[in-house]
Amino acid sequence: MKIALRQLFAPILNYFESGDGDYVYKASHRKILLFMGSLFLVLSIISLVAAIVASQLAGFLPILIFFIGGFICIIIGLLGNDHAVAKIWGSK
């Protein structure tokens, strides 16, 4: 299943897994990345509910930004290798 998901999300993973060189990876980085991704997804849901209640289309931008950020964090945290996690943290 993981192989099929890695193939499906290959464009995202390839960007973060590309490159050579030294990097600093800690297991806590992956855990924090998954937590932040979950937090961003919750914020996108809260923004969606607030936009629906207020009947405002201006709420679409925060929904989109939080959802994309959370989605990428979850994908990298679950499927990415150590280099991808280090790259999203900016560790060198």
Side-chain angles (χ1 to χ4, degrees):
M1 183 68 164
K2 187 173 181 179
I3 295 170
L5 288 174
R6 283 189 57 84
Q7 289 175 350
L8 180 65
F9 298 114
I12 296 170
L13 294 172
N14 289 340
Y15 175 76
F16 287 102
E17 293 175 350
S18 66
D20 293 328
D22 296 335
Y23 59 91
V24 178
Y25 170 78
K26 296 178 184 175
S28 62
H29 289 172
R30 188 177 300 273
K31 292 175 186 172
I32 294 170
L33 188 63
L34 289 170
F35 176 76
M36 292 300 294
S38 301
L39 181 64
F40 282 159
L41 290 177
V42 168
L43 284 172
S44 72
I45 292 170
I46 291 171
S47 297
L48 176 65
V49 170
I52 291 172
V53 168
S55 299
Q56 295 291 320
L57 290 176
F60 181 70
L61 186 61
I63 294 167
L64 188 64
I65 290 171
F66 286 132
F67 181 78
I68 290 172
F71 183 74
I72 289 175
C73 288
I74 295 291
I75 294 300
I76 298 298
L78 292 176
L79 301 174
N81 61 15
D82 296 345
H83 188 263
V85 173
K87 189 171 182 178
I88 205 166
W89 276 102
S91 302
K92 296 198 181 221

